[in-house]
Amino acid sequence: MIIVLKTGATEQDVERVSELLRSKGLGVHVSQGIEKTIIGVIGAKERVGELAVESLECVEKVVSVSNPFKLASRDFHPLDTVISVGNLKIGGPEPVYMAGPCSVESRTGMIEIAQRVKEAGAHILRGGAFKPRSSPYSFQGLGEEGLKYMAEAREITGLPIISEVMEPETVNLMVDYVDILQIGARNMQNYALLRAVGRTQTPVLLKRGFSNTIEEWLMSAEYILSEGNPNVILCERGIRTFETYTRNTLDLNAVPVVKHLSHLPVIVDPSHGVGKWRYVTAMSRAAMAAGAHGLIVEVHPNPQEALSDGPQSLTLENFENLIEEVNRIVRVLNPEVTSANTNQ
Amino acid sequence: MIIVLKTGATEQDVERVSELLRSKGLGVHVSQGIEKTIIGVIGAKERVGELAVESLECVEKVVSVSNPFKLASRDFHPLDTVISVGNLKIGGPEPVYMAGPCSVESRTGMIEIAQRVKEAGAHILRGGAFKPRSSPYSFQGLGEEGLKYMAEAREITGLPIISEVMEPETVNLMVDYVDILQIGARNMQNYALLRAVGRTQTPVLLKRGFSNTIEEWLMSAEYILSEGNPNVILCERGIRTFETYTRNTLDLNAVPVVKHLSHLPVIVDPSHGVGKWRYVTAMSRAAMAAGAHGLIVEVHPNPQEALSDGPQSLTLENFENLIEEVNRIVRVLNPEVTSANTNQ
Amino acid sequence: MIIVLKTGATEQDVERVSELLRSKGLGVHVSQGIEKTIIGVIGAKERVGELAVESLECVEKVVSVSNPFKLASRDFHPLDTVISVGNLKIGGPEPVYMAGPCSVESRTGMIEIAQRVKEAGAHILRGGAFKPRSSPYSFQGLGEEGLKYMAEAREITGLPIISEVMEPETVNLMVDYVDILQIGARNMQNYALLRAVGRTQTPVLLKRGFSNTIEEWLMSAEYILSEGNPNVILCERGIRTFETYTRNTLDLNAVPVVKHLSHLPVIVDPSHGVGKWRYVTAMSRAAMAAGAHGLIVEVHPNPQEALSDGPQSLTLENFENLIEEVNRIVRVLNPEVTSANTNQ
Amino acid sequence: MIIVLKTGATEQDVERVSELLRSKGLGVHVSQGIEKTIIGVIGAKERVGELAVESLECVEKVVSVSNPFKLASRDFHPLDTVISVGNLKIGGPEPVYMAGPCSVESRTGMIEIAQRVKEAGAHILRGGAFKPRSSPYSFQGLGEEGLKYMAEAREITGLPIISEVMEPETVNLMVDYVDILQIGARNMQNYALLRAVGRTQTPVLLKRGFSNTIEEWLMSAEYILSEGNPNVILCERGIRTFETYTRNTLDLNAVPVVKHLSHLPVIVDPSHGVGKWRYVTAMSRAAMAAGAHGLIVEVHPNPQEALSDGPQSLTLENFENLIEEVNRIVRVLNPEVTSANTNQ
């Protein structure tokens, strides 16, 4: 950490700040520039982070030099983390495609869609049983019944399943049903929930909050990792900006940035990211070209009848076409990928 | 709701959309413009909200004409809601000032600060016992022990207390201690938590998420109201923008907008809003001049020793000065306010 | 400037960077932390700013410690700048109110509105002759004819006039007519224009770009100041965020921040800032309470007939009420203000 | 345009608004919903755009149904526009790569880099002669001398050249030297400049302002088109968000959106978009996969010596690698592209 003093700071000011730092057991390194005096703080990251020297009148600003995340950082774990879900590998050279409806709507519908997305090339089945909806009057999901339908679809198709968990109390229930727990964007900083999933060993797909920085996202991963669950998959799903033609702004820059800063796999959700089915295929191609480890896509056999998120859902035909296009890109970028992750 | 068809939409397209709407029991009103055909949808708000016609190829966009919130809306409840906390009224002409440290740190510290903020003019004591921290390595609060210290400070000073609740499971515990439950910005869309506090009758201070629209904020209030708790206080605490001189951008525009759209009281948190103590007093004056019903301010006797949020905490001297300045504005804008809400 | 090296940087890396710095005549100060090595760069701000060491593989990030602006900075000029326009003082304890229509529309209309806003308490008459419109098909202003009408209104009422200049070529023409040149938000980084107005001595009202940081705004002021024109007035007019209930988000935080960083006067434009007439008075009160030196407000005798920006224009009745309310706040915050800047 | 009246609007209100519309020669279509009355306005887009009915007390909001751009719209011009620059086609199936240094720095340097980027596969040479810099103390470019060096590099290599024009007065000078005029992000709404380039027939690369919506961008294209220059190339270069790991957030969503709304070619600038050389190649791959018609990339033989934008410039080696990777994607997405646009 570096402390920049205000122009005109006196020697007494420097001494006062240094004193405070030393009293916390930290090292001090004063550097006198032409206009500014800066003080380097030497010590363990955790203790430095707690300092509130910015509240001193003579301090202009405080600049952090280390990243605040540790277990999530590539400095700490240089090699890519690869997470196993059954026979699938998430985070390796083979891409992973997750697909399914926004909400589980019926038993037969779920089974049918599972079969269809599998045929089209999906590896994992998504579906919402507990739905976070901005309106209390909107369809809130089928709850445990929905999980049962998903589990049945898994039995028939062999596809592992992913579904969103919304509160600490239901983590144990969810773990009995799903192969991957999803933390939604609105819960990215729900620390009680992060801790609860961190106490399991079930893989967790952690969506980036729509207004969270990459650093905050990695800090939320750190919560899960620090509780003992190493199986964290990051998922970029669009951030909020001033643009209104798209529902969100899918931030693909996050893909190479996260791969540089962290060892965790990163998946892209183009459906929420752009919010209109018309642009989902183009953004899926772009995501894979940017280096994403996979996609999670909303697919519905009849989008205009969907109980939620119809406008961003692909038809099965469009989804087949999407898989075909992204696979072409994956193969050309990584010629060793002779066979994609099998979904058989 | 209005459906705008794409340029070149045919009569068959119009018929197809109309059919779909009628099959859901909705009324249809077609209007042919020079360039565009639009279809007005007539029916109950809740059913219209579930439609996914945007997924049809011939539809260009869908525009909502009603606000999606109902119980929170001034259309539904034209008069201002005034919430009683002991003898205090929140939402009436008298302003309410809440003050205290970010975190409860010790028993004696809490009692001392309670006495001091009361002397300075505060009506309610704030303090964090369960702390949402972006790092798992930061101080996470004293938990129930902290609540006990706050309750003791209330006994001594008579000030009601407010503290943040972070998970549904602790709502019952919190209700035994605090006079107002706070929902933090990061939990504004934690629907399980909103429902849980909605099932109590304890007043709830609902902070706006730092990247949530005013509409989403009112929808989160709707969650609490629709569970049966009418005592919701809104709190603006800064939104996230590209500006970096301030920690957030305190959005005071939200004050008159919310007062126009809703009957609920609105309080401003300038400490998180701007994030630097130096600007807190100016923004407090501005908040009250914009029409806020009160303030919630971080005060610490020794900010550079604070275990959290030191840089934005006021000293007691600065807080006294703040109260003096905002009271001058309140009195001049509302001459009937002869005596502010008493804190005796 | 501080250079933070990547974790694992070697001594050779440190030497390589130091070498590069010394070759540019800069001083070097190496500081070895527990996780990171940082290098302090000592030398004149201008030369340091040109370095591109971030492109070296071993460099993680570069942190600037000085503000990049100089003439605009309070470090350089500790006392408030007060700018004279006729008998008016802008930047002193007396507030200055500028009012008038978005566009000059007719001769008689301009004269009438000038008389009416003067009666209501305005000190300066605003009006657009050259209009920046996002559509080429919208009304583009009356041009020089509009300036003539404004000048005539000045002759009759005695009110100084302000109008926007849009291109370097018309600066000389404008200077012959107006008392204050306005640089619009969209031109805040039109450097050719900034230089051109910097070569006059006419006061310049510099609007903040709707997506510019405070630092960039002060750098644009620096362009004008560095050409020799010391008469720069800053104007906050709303920034672009994700919120859609308001046209922009008026950023009142900028008022105390700018007053801390700079000596230049700061004026607020609530009309563009919030974009709906209904909220203009509340935000005007807030702006003055935050410490603004004045306001610039759109007023139109008949807003629904305005050729531009009708939805945010106040009627004359509402403007009278606004002045009455803000003056109460100004007087109570600054009791020495016995008489406001006279507009007689 | 649709006018939504406030809940509780009376028949007189409806009549009053209708009257106003009819008095402007517009058609009126009233539709009574359960909660809201809406009024459809029928008439030519330009006249509707000028209405200010939002200023009426009974009006809640006004919703536009048509896009405000016309010549830029795909409705108006269904087929893709393909722009010829010498033998190159911009906007067709063959991608176009523009590369070169941020600033022209010297004659020999320019010639050398031209030869090197041509060898690597670039089709067009970029370089800044007039530089928009946020600081008046930064290097401002070599001016006309820089253009001469570029022209000489063109003579030697055969590569057409592109450079930024900053003010209307220099348009004529620039046209004598360059093959494509660039409008920078900061000047996207400098209407005098847009008009000036619109009066030439030289192709114009129009960068999106870093905080402008796609609609505003297309409206700026409309300014150029409506003056008679049909040769507009759009360029996405990153928008401003709250994220700080990247300099801007390259908004690739804009690529498919713009291709849907407009017939104009769209090029991506990953160098400014992400602002760090480390991520430029990944984002270039993503841009081409999203469907961009080409790239504009900053390349410098020795980035740490660059006079501007060093941190985002690629070395020549990295640029060669970039071209190799994006070409693989282009060929696999569009197998008919047997030979890319030749740069011989």
Side-chain angles (χ1 to χ4, degrees):
Chain A
M1 196 174 74
I2 290 161
I3 299 167
V4 181
L5 300 189
K6 288 170 89 167
T7 305
T10 62
E11 277 186 40
Q12 285 90 323
D13 289 328
V14 176
E15 201 34 51
R16 190 174 161 211
V17 176
S18 304
E19 203 67 339
L20 178 67
L21 295 171
R22 286 191 209 102
S23 75
K24 308 277 180 190
L26 296 163
V28 171
H29 193 154
V30 178
S31 168
Q32 189 76 42
I34 285 179
E35 299 190 19
K36 298 284 183 190
T37 299
I38 64 174
I39 299 178
V41 183
I42 298 161
K45 184 170 3 191
E46 293 76 17
R47 300 175 68 185
V48 172
E50 293 299 333
L51 284 171
V53 286
E54 217 160 346
S55 57
L56 294 171
E57 182 65 45
C58 64
V59 171
E60 188 170 295
K61 64 176 170 181
V62 170
V63 179
S64 156
V65 297
S66 308
N67 289 324
F69 42 87
K70 191 177 144 193
L71 304 176
S73 144
R74 205 175 266 283
D75 287 349
F76 173 78
H77 185 302
L79 294 184
D80 282 0
T81 284
V82 178
I83 295 170
S84 293
V85 176
N87 296 324
L88 289 169
K89 305 281 180 201
I90 304 178
E94 312 281 347
V96 176
Y97 306 128
M98 313 182 184
C102 178
S103 303
V104 183
E105 296 175 0
S106 74
R107 186 182 157 277
T108 52
M110 200 66 219
I111 292 170
E112 189 203 329
I113 206 169
Q115 291 171 317
R116 300 285 302 278
V117 297
K118 183 183 177 182
E119 281 161 32
H123 307 98
I124 295 179
L125 179 65
R126 62 149 291 154
F130 299 94
K131 298 298 305 171
R133 302 301 299 273
S134 48
S135 168
Y137 310 122
S138 295
F139 175 60
Q140 306 278 326
L142 296 179
E144 188 171 359
E145 204 185 333
L147 296 176
K148 286 182 180 157
Y149 300 158
M150 290 189 78
E152 201 175 336
R154 171 177 50 193
E155 224 164 290
I156 292 168
T157 59
L159 296 183
I161 60 183
I162 176 171
S163 196
E164 178 166 353
V165 58
M166 282 176 62
E167 42 182 327
E169 279 173 319
T170 48
V171 169
N172 287 339
L173 172 74
M174 296 288 296
V175 162
D176 287 345
Y177 286 101
V178 305
D179 301 285
I180 307 178
L181 292 161
Q182 178 180 311
I183 303 283
R186 294 175 177 99
N187 279 318
M188 195 200 88
Q189 294 189 312
N190 179 340
Y191 302 119
L193 184 59
L194 297 177
R195 284 227 174 77
V197 300
R199 286 189 294 262
T200 75
Q201 291 293 305
T202 304
V204 178
L205 182 124
L206 176 67
K207 290 204 167 181
R208 179 182 181 185
F210 54 65
S211 180
N212 285 107
T213 62
I214 292 171
E215 184 173 301
E216 288 169 336
W217 189 20
L218 292 174
M219 287 308 288
S220 288
E222 192 84 9
Y223 260 93
I224 303 171
L225 298 169
S226 68
E227 291 287 331
N229 185 346
N231 302 309
V232 178
I233 303 157
L234 300 167
C235 178
E236 161 64 31
R237 50 75 73 204
I239 59 172
R240 190 157 273 185
T241 70
F242 54 81
E243 180 56 60
T244 53
Y245 265 115
T246 49
R247 180 169 162 190
N248 292 289
T249 296
L250 186 68
D251 178 11
L252 291 182
N253 309 268
V255 174
V257 171
V258 155
K259 289 176 79 176
H260 178 67
L261 295 171
S262 179
H263 53 90
L264 298 171
V266 58
I267 294 287
V268 170
D269 175 351
S271 304
H272 288 87
V274 64
K276 295 187 175 172
W277 65 268
R278 197 185 305 284
Y279 308 124
V280 168
T281 301
M283 295 314 288
S284 296
R285 292 193 312 255
M288 296 313 293
H293 293 106
L295 299 171
I296 180 164
V297 180
E298 288 191 356
V299 178
H300 195 282
N302 201 4
Q304 70 269 30
E305 297 287 342
L307 295 182
S308 55
D309 277 351
Q312 69 196 33
S313 295
L314 291 187
T315 60
L316 282 151
E317 293 65 33
N318 284 333
F319 178 63
E320 278 164 27
N321 175 50
L322 178 156
I323 291 294
E324 204 272 319
E325 292 195 13
V326 295
N327 271 339
R328 274 197 269 159
I329 289 177
V330 168
R331 278 189 296 260
V332 81
L333 287 177
N334 198 349
E336 306 98 86
V337 179
T338 46
S339 66
N341 255 322
T342 177
N343 63 358
Q344 302 309 318
Chain B
M1 196 173 73
I2 291 160
I3 299 168
V4 181
L5 300 189
K6 288 169 90 167
T7 304
T10 62
E11 276 186 40
Q12 285 90 322
D13 289 328
V14 175
E15 201 35 52
R16 190 174 160 211
V17 176
S18 304
E19 203 68 339
L20 178 68
L21 296 171
R22 286 193 209 101
S23 75
K24 308 276 181 193
L26 296 163
V28 171
H29 193 156
V30 177
S31 168
Q32 189 76 42
I34 285 179
E35 300 189 19
K36 298 283 183 192
T37 298
I38 63 176
I39 299 177
V41 184
I42 297 162
K45 182 166 10 186
E46 292 75 17
R47 301 174 69 185
V48 173
E50 294 299 333
L51 285 172
V53 285
E54 217 160 347
S55 57
L56 294 171
E57 182 66 44
C58 65
V59 171
E60 187 171 296
K61 64 176 171 182
V62 170
V63 178
S64 154
V65 296
S66 307
N67 290 323
F69 43 86
K70 190 177 145 193
L71 304 176
S73 144
R74 203 175 269 283
D75 286 348
F76 174 78
H77 185 302
L79 293 184
D80 283 0
T81 284
V82 177
I83 295 170
S84 292
V85 176
N87 296 324
L88 289 169
K89 304 282 180 203
I90 304 177
E94 312 281 345
V96 175
Y97 306 127
M98 313 182 184
C102 178
S103 303
V104 183
E105 296 175 359
S106 74
R107 186 182 158 276
T108 51
M110 200 65 217
I111 292 170
E112 189 204 329
I113 206 170
Q115 292 171 316
R116 300 286 302 277
V117 297
K118 182 183 178 182
E119 281 162 31
H123 306 99
I124 294 179
L125 180 65
R126 61 151 289 154
F130 298 95
K131 298 297 305 169
R133 302 302 299 274
S134 48
S135 169
Y137 311 122
S138 295
F139 175 61
Q140 307 278 325
L142 296 180
E144 188 172 358
E145 203 185 333
L147 295 176
K148 286 184 180 157
Y149 300 158
M150 289 189 78
E152 201 175 336
R154 170 176 52 194
E155 223 164 290
I156 292 169
T157 59
L159 296 183
I161 60 183
I162 176 172
S163 197
E164 179 166 351
V165 58
M166 282 176 63
E167 42 183 328
E169 279 174 316
T170 50
V171 168
N172 286 340
L173 172 75
M174 295 289 295
V175 162
D176 287 345
Y177 285 101
V178 305
D179 301 284
I180 307 177
L181 291 161
Q182 179 180 311
I183 303 284
R186 293 175 177 100
N187 279 319
M188 194 201 87
Q189 294 189 313
N190 180 338
Y191 301 118
L193 184 59
L194 297 177
R195 284 227 175 77
V197 300
R199 287 189 293 262
T200 75
Q201 291 294 306
T202 304
V204 178
L205 183 124
L206 176 66
K207 290 202 168 183
R208 179 182 181 187
F210 55 66
S211 179
N212 285 107
T213 61
I214 291 170
E215 184 174 301
E216 289 170 335
W217 189 20
L218 292 173
M219 287 309 288
S220 287
E222 191 84 9
Y223 260 93
I224 303 171
L225 297 168
S226 68
E227 290 287 333
N229 185 346
N231 301 309
V232 177
I233 304 157
L234 299 167
C235 177
E236 161 64 32
R237 50 75 74 204
I239 59 172
R240 189 157 273 187
T241 69
F242 54 81
E243 180 56 60
T244 53
Y245 265 115
T246 48
R247 181 169 162 191
N248 291 290
T249 296
L250 186 67
D251 178 10
L252 291 183
N253 309 268
V255 173
V257 171
V258 156
K259 289 177 78 175
H260 178 67
L261 295 172
S262 180
H263 53 90
L264 298 171
V266 58
I267 294 287
V268 170
D269 174 351
S271 304
H272 288 86
V274 65
K276 295 186 175 171
W277 65 269
R278 197 186 305 285
Y279 308 124
V280 168
T281 301
M283 295 314 287
S284 296
R285 291 193 312 255
M288 296 312 293
H293 293 107
L295 300 170
I296 180 163
V297 181
E298 288 192 358
V299 178
H300 195 283
N302 201 4
Q304 70 270 31
E305 296 287 343
L307 294 181
S308 55
D309 278 350
Q312 69 196 32
S313 295
L314 290 187
T315 60
L316 281 151
E317 293 65 33
N318 284 333
F319 178 63
E320 279 165 26
N321 175 51
L322 178 156
I323 291 292
E324 204 272 320
E325 292 194 14
V326 293
N327 271 338
R328 274 197 269 161
I329 289 177
V330 168
R331 277 190 296 260
V332 81
L333 287 178
N334 198 348
E336 308 96 86
V337 179
T338 45
S339 67
N341 255 321
T342 178
N343 63 359
Q344 301 309 319
Chain C
M1 196 174 74
I2 290 160
I3 299 168
V4 181
L5 300 189
K6 288 170 90 168
T7 305
T10 61
E11 275 185 42
Q12 286 89 323
D13 289 328
V14 176
E15 200 36 51
R16 190 173 161 212
V17 176
S18 304
E19 204 67 340
L20 178 67
L21 296 171
R22 285 192 210 102
S23 76
K24 308 276 181 192
L26 296 163
V28 171
H29 192 155
V30 178
S31 168
Q32 188 77 42
I34 285 179
E35 299 189 17
K36 297 283 183 192
T37 299
I38 63 175
I39 299 177
V41 184
I42 298 162
K45 184 167 8 187
E46 292 76 16
R47 301 173 68 184
V48 173
E50 293 299 332
L51 284 171
V53 284
E54 218 160 348
S55 57
L56 294 171
E57 183 65 45
C58 65
V59 171
E60 189 172 295
K61 63 176 170 180
V62 170
V63 178
S64 154
V65 296
S66 307
N67 289 324
F69 42 87
K70 190 177 144 193
L71 304 177
S73 145
R74 203 174 268 285
D75 287 348
F76 173 78
H77 185 302
L79 294 184
D80 283 0
T81 285
V82 178
I83 295 170
S84 293
V85 176
N87 296 324
L88 289 169
K89 305 281 179 201
I90 303 177
E94 313 280 346
V96 175
Y97 306 128
M98 312 182 185
C102 178
S103 303
V104 184
E105 297 175 359
S106 73
R107 186 183 158 277
T108 53
M110 200 66 218
I111 292 170
E112 190 204 329
I113 206 170
Q115 290 170 318
R116 300 286 302 277
V117 297
K118 182 183 177 181
E119 280 161 32
H123 307 98
I124 294 178
L125 180 65
R126 62 150 289 152
F130 298 94
K131 297 298 306 169
R133 302 301 299 275
S134 47
S135 168
Y137 311 122
S138 296
F139 176 61
Q140 308 277 327
L142 296 179
E144 188 171 358
E145 204 185 333
L147 296 176
K148 286 184 180 157
Y149 299 159
M150 290 190 78
E152 200 174 337
R154 171 177 51 195
E155 223 165 292
I156 292 169
T157 59
L159 296 182
I161 60 182
I162 175 172
S163 197
E164 178 166 352
V165 59
M166 282 176 63
E167 43 182 328
E169 279 173 318
T170 49
V171 169
N172 287 340
L173 171 74
M174 295 289 295
V175 163
D176 287 345
Y177 285 100
V178 305
D179 301 284
I180 307 177
L181 291 161
Q182 178 181 312
I183 303 285
R186 294 175 176 98
N187 279 319
M188 194 201 88
Q189 294 190 311
N190 180 338
Y191 301 118
L193 184 59
L194 297 177
R195 284 228 174 76
V197 300
R199 287 189 294 262
T200 74
Q201 290 294 304
T202 304
V204 177
L205 183 124
L206 176 66
K207 289 204 167 180
R208 179 183 181 185
F210 55 64
S211 180
N212 286 106
T213 61
I214 292 171
E215 184 173 301
E216 289 169 336
W217 190 19
L218 292 174
M219 287 309 288
S220 287
E222 191 84 9
Y223 261 93
I224 303 172
L225 297 169
S226 68
E227 290 287 332
N229 185 346
N231 301 310
V232 177
I233 303 157
L234 299 166
C235 177
E236 161 63 32
R237 50 74 75 204
I239 60 173
R240 189 158 272 186
T241 69
F242 54 81
E243 179 56 59
T244 53
Y245 265 114
T246 49
R247 181 169 161 191
N248 292 289
T249 297
L250 186 67
D251 178 10
L252 291 183
N253 309 267
V255 173
V257 171
V258 155
K259 289 177 79 174
H260 178 67
L261 296 171
S262 179
H263 52 90
L264 298 171
V266 58
I267 294 287
V268 170
D269 174 351
S271 304
H272 287 86
V274 65
K276 295 187 176 172
W277 65 268
R278 197 185 305 285
Y279 307 122
V280 168
T281 301
M283 296 314 288
S284 295
R285 293 193 310 255
M288 296 313 293
H293 293 106
L295 299 170
I296 180 163
V297 181
E298 287 192 359
V299 178
H300 195 283
N302 201 4
Q304 71 268 32
E305 297 287 342
L307 295 182
S308 55
D309 278 350
Q312 68 196 33
S313 294
L314 291 185
T315 60
L316 281 151
E317 293 64 33
N318 284 333
F319 178 63
E320 278 165 26
N321 175 51
L322 178 155
I323 291 292
E324 205 273 319
E325 293 195 14
V326 295
N327 271 339
R328 274 197 269 160
I329 289 177
V330 168
R331 277 189 297 260
V332 81
L333 288 177
N334 198 348
E336 307 96 86
V337 179
T338 46
S339 66
N341 255 322
T342 178
N343 64 358
Q344 303 309 319
Chain D
M1 197 174 74
I2 290 160
I3 299 169
V4 181
L5 299 189
K6 288 170 89 167
T7 304
T10 62
E11 275 185 42
Q12 285 90 323
D13 289 328
V14 175
E15 202 33 55
R16 189 174 162 212
V17 176
S18 305
E19 202 68 340
L20 178 67
L21 296 170
R22 287 192 209 101
S23 76
K24 307 276 180 193
L26 296 163
V28 171
H29 192 154
V30 177
S31 168
Q32 188 75 43
I34 285 179
E35 298 190 19
K36 298 283 183 191
T37 299
I38 62 176
I39 298 177
V41 183
I42 298 162
K45 184 167 6 188
E46 292 76 16
R47 300 174 68 184
V48 173
E50 293 299 333
L51 283 171
V53 285
E54 217 161 346
S55 57
L56 293 171
E57 182 66 44
C58 64
V59 171
E60 188 171 295
K61 63 177 171 181
V62 170
V63 178
S64 155
V65 296
S66 308
N67 290 323
F69 43 86
K70 190 178 145 193
L71 304 177
S73 143
R74 203 174 269 283
D75 287 348
F76 173 78
H77 185 303
L79 294 184
D80 283 0
T81 285
V82 177
I83 295 170
S84 293
V85 176
N87 296 324
L88 289 169
K89 304 282 179 202
I90 303 178
E94 313 280 345
V96 175
Y97 306 128
M98 313 183 184
C102 178
S103 303
V104 183
E105 297 175 0
S106 74
R107 186 182 157 277
T108 53
M110 200 64 219
I111 292 170
E112 189 203 329
I113 205 169
Q115 291 170 317
R116 299 286 301 278
V117 297
K118 182 183 176 181
E119 282 161 31
H123 307 99
I124 294 178
L125 179 65
R126 60 150 290 155
F130 299 94
K131 298 298 305 169
R133 302 301 299 273
S134 48
S135 167
Y137 311 122
S138 296
F139 174 61
Q140 308 277 326
L142 296 179
E144 189 171 359
E145 203 185 335
L147 296 176
K148 286 183 179 157
Y149 300 159
M150 289 189 78
E152 201 175 338
R154 170 177 51 194
E155 224 164 291
I156 293 168
T157 60
L159 296 182
I161 61 181
I162 176 172
S163 197
E164 179 166 351
V165 59
M166 283 176 61
E167 42 182 328
E169 278 174 319
T170 49
V171 169
N172 286 340
L173 171 74
M174 295 287 297
V175 163
D176 287 345
Y177 286 101
V178 304
D179 301 284
I180 307 177
L181 291 161
Q182 178 180 311
I183 303 283
R186 295 175 176 100
N187 279 319
M188 194 201 88
Q189 294 190 312
N190 179 339
Y191 302 119
L193 183 60
L194 296 177
R195 284 228 174 75
V197 300
R199 287 189 294 262
T200 75
Q201 290 294 305
T202 304
V204 177
L205 182 124
L206 177 66
K207 290 204 167 181
R208 179 182 180 186
F210 54 66
S211 179
N212 286 106
T213 61
I214 292 171
E215 184 173 302
E216 289 169 336
W217 189 19
L218 292 173
M219 287 309 289
S220 288
E222 192 84 9
Y223 260 93
I224 302 171
L225 297 168
S226 68
E227 290 288 331
N229 185 346
N231 302 309
V232 177
I233 304 157
L234 299 167
C235 177
E236 161 64 32
R237 50 74 74 204
I239 59 173
R240 188 158 274 186
T241 70
F242 54 81
E243 180 55 61
T244 54
Y245 265 115
T246 48
R247 182 169 161 190
N248 292 290
T249 296
L250 187 67
D251 178 12
L252 291 183
N253 310 268
V255 173
V257 171
V258 155
K259 288 177 79 174
H260 178 68
L261 295 172
S262 179
H263 52 91
L264 298 171
V266 58
I267 294 287
V268 170
D269 175 351
S271 305
H272 288 86
V274 65
K276 295 187 176 172
W277 65 269
R278 196 185 306 285
Y279 308 123
V280 168
T281 301
M283 295 314 288
S284 296
R285 291 194 311 254
M288 295 314 292
H293 292 105
L295 299 170
I296 180 164
V297 181
E298 288 191 358
V299 178
H300 195 282
N302 200 4
Q304 70 269 30
E305 297 287 342
L307 295 182
S308 55
D309 278 350
Q312 69 196 32
S313 294
L314 291 187
T315 60
L316 281 152
E317 292 67 31
N318 284 333
F319 178 63
E320 279 165 26
N321 175 52
L322 178 155
I323 291 292
E324 205 274 319
E325 292 194 13
V326 295
N327 271 339
R328 274 197 269 160
I329 289 177
V330 167
R331 278 190 296 258
V332 81
L333 288 177
N334 198 349
E336 307 97 87
V337 180
T338 46
S339 67
N341 254 322
T342 179
N343 63 358
Q344 302 308 317

